[in-house]
Amino acid sequence: MTTAEKPGSIVWRRRREAVAKHWHEFTTNKAGVFGLAFLGLITVLAILAPVITDETGLDVTKAQGSTLEPPSGEFWLGTDIDGRSVLLMTFWGARISLLTGFSAALLSVLIGTLIGIAAAHIQGWVSGLLLRFTDFFLVLPSLVLAVALASVLDQGAMTVIIAIGVTAWPSTARLVRAQTLTIEGRPYIERAKALGGGHLHVIGKHVLPGVMPLVLANTTLVVGNAVIADATLAFLGVGNPNTISWGTMLQTALNNGAISKGAWWNLLPPGLAIVVVVLGFTLVGRALETVLNPRLKGQHS
């Protein structure tokens, strides 16, 4: 550090060093790196789906295959009841499933982080009210609440995102509240308050930087849960049935009797896609927890 270095630049330099250190530790976790690489590949393929595939094949009037055709050289994963390529539908289903999962998780984490910090920072009746509000959502069946919420809104991806986001935040709120209480019990918080630091200063300069690593690790796990919730809601018929996602593919296969007809290729690709994507987010989330939680150091391989 040079004598001419400003305090603000010192803070940013230390944060960059911390990020570099955490990234180096993350790369030593083989499971986490594998999960991140796999998720990166799936995301790139989903983004490039309009470039590497022909979207017209999703139109039932332009399908080139026969009904429930088994896997072959032309259709690697077979066709569905309408003669559409299951591989093509799986590619495009990833776009909706991942977009919904990411968006719902971000909404859930945003709500949970705001309520968690407020419940810990603001004492008195406000904190008690927020805790009771959180407990109320914790005891409610989130899936039932999401179905009820989605049933009264217009069909579409945004409805599913809102339904998942406003029902999945309580666990994040409890986690953030506990971390915020730990941070605000440290001596430098008392010094900041004694020097005249207001609520926004304490939260923005000290609390948020302290809870963000935990929020980041938790977000990766929430995305996996959101992908499962999106597939479940779509399978139950919530949302737009004309939108191709992994959940709607499973619902269509079930409604058209793919099981009774032995068309396993209608069920296995979207089901496996959900499993491996959720597994990838879980591996990344656990690796981040190991890196960011000092108590878990040395427990990864």
Side-chain angles (χ1 to χ4, degrees), residues 73-135:
E74 183 179 3
F75 300 103
W76 293 0
L77 296 180
T79 63
D80 70 342
I81 193 70
D82 297 312
R84 296 176 295 180
S85 170
V86 174
L87 177 60
L88 179 64
M89 295 174 66
T90 304
F91 264 118
W92 282 83
R95 294 171 63 86
I96 297 298
S97 295
L98 291 179
L99 176 63
T100 304
F102 276 116
S103 302
L106 290 177
L107 178 60
S108 171
V109 169
L110 177 62
I111 296 173
T113 301
L114 292 177
I115 292 181
I117 291 177
H121 183 78
I122 304 175
Q123 302 298 321
W125 67 269
V126 175
S127 177
L129 180 62
L130 291 175
L131 288 177
R132 299 295 77 78
F133 183 67
T134 303
D135 292 338

Side-chain angles (χ1 to χ4, degrees), residues 20 24 46 66 78 113-114 120 126 149 157 166 185 224 236 238 243 256 266 277 279:
H24 175 72
S66 57
T113 301
L114 292 177
V126 175
L149 182 61
V166 301
L236 294 175
V238 177
T243 300
N256 293 325
N266 273 201
V277 165
L279 177 61

Side-chain angles (χ1 to χ4, degrees), residues 15 121 183-184 188-209:
R15 289 178 179 176
H121 183 78
I183 293 174
E184 295 210 350
Y188 63 82
I189 298 294
E190 293 297 329
R191 289 197 297 268
K193 292 180 180 179
L195 293 173
H199 296 295
L200 293 179
H201 173 81
V202 172
I203 293 175
K205 294 292 185 179
H206 302 291
V207 175
L208 272 179

Side-chain angles (χ1 to χ4, degrees), residues 104 107 149 153 157-167:
L107 178 60
L149 182 61
L153 300 175
M158 184 57 65
T159 295
V160 177
I161 292 172
I162 295 174
I164 298 173
V166 301
T167 58

